[in-house]
Amino acid sequence: TRAYGVKLQPWQRAYVNTAMVTHAVGMLGPYDDVWWWDHLTHAHSSSILAGIVYVVSRRKGRDPGPRVVAAVISFGLVWEAIEYAIHATAKRLDLEPILVTYGRKDTFLDIVFDLVGAVLVLAFGDRVLGELAANE
C-alpha cells in the first residue's frame, strides 16, 4: 500500500486478512460441511476486489458502479474457469485436487455471491472507503 500512497485503517487490514483466513480454514473442512461457508468467502473476497475498483474509479472521477460489477463478474468467471481447469487436470493426473468444483449450480451461486460483495461495496462504499477514494 505504501507504493501507491494508500494508508489502510486497521479494520481494513483486518478485513483483507480475514478473507485469507476464511479461505484457508474453509479448505480444512467447512467448504464441505458448512453450507454457507463458500457463499461467505465469495462475498467477502469479491468485496475486496470491488473495494479496490471502487476506490480507483472514485479517484479518477468515474462512476464506480459499472466498473465494480464488470470487474467482479469478469474476475469471478475467470476464477471459476481456473478452478475447473485445476480440478479437471488433477483428476486426469489422478491427483487430489486443491480446488474442487461442485457443478453448474455451485458456479452460478458463486457468481451470485460475488455480486453480493459488489453490491455491498456500492451501497456502503462512500461511507467505508470514502477516505481512500478522496485521498490524492
Side-chain angles (χ1 to χ4, degrees):
T1 58
R2 286 186 196 142
Y4 297 102
V6 174
K7 182 163 173 41
L8 297 177
Q9 299 298 318
W11 73 266
Q12 292 166 326
R13 284 194 186 113
Y15 188 81
V16 171
N17 291 334
T18 302
M20 291 182 255
V21 171
T22 57
H23 282 293
V25 169
M27 294 181 85
L28 298 174
Y31 278 130
D32 293 324
D33 301 333
V34 181
W35 69 267
W36 50 264
W37 196 271
D38 189 42
H39 305 322
L40 171 74
T41 58
H42 272 271
H44 192 162
S45 294
S46 69
S47 70
I48 293 168
L49 172 62
I52 292 167
V53 174
Y54 185 92
V55 167
V56 170
S57 295
R58 282 281 194 237
R59 282 184 167 203
K60 291 183 176 188
R62 297 187 175 130
D63 178 14
R67 287 166 178 78
V68 166
V69 172
V72 167
I73 289 175
S74 297
F75 190 83
L77 291 172
V78 167
W79 175 256
E80 293 300 322
I82 291 168
E83 191 175 72
Y84 177 79
I86 289 172
H87 182 80
T89 301
K91 194 172 180 178
R92 178 170 283 169
L93 296 174
D94 200 29
L95 299 170
E96 185 70 30
I98 59 171
L99 297 172
V100 179
T101 58
Y102 296 100
R104 290 180 183 171
K105 180 180 176 187
D106 178 65
T107 299
F108 174 76
L109 287 172
D110 288 349
I111 299 300
V112 167
F113 281 92
D114 290 344
L115 284 171
V116 167
V119 168
L120 288 172
V121 167
L122 291 174
F124 300 105
D126 285 337
R127 192 171 314 156
V128 297
L129 299 170
E131 187 176 305
L132 290 173
N135 189 7
E136 293 296 325

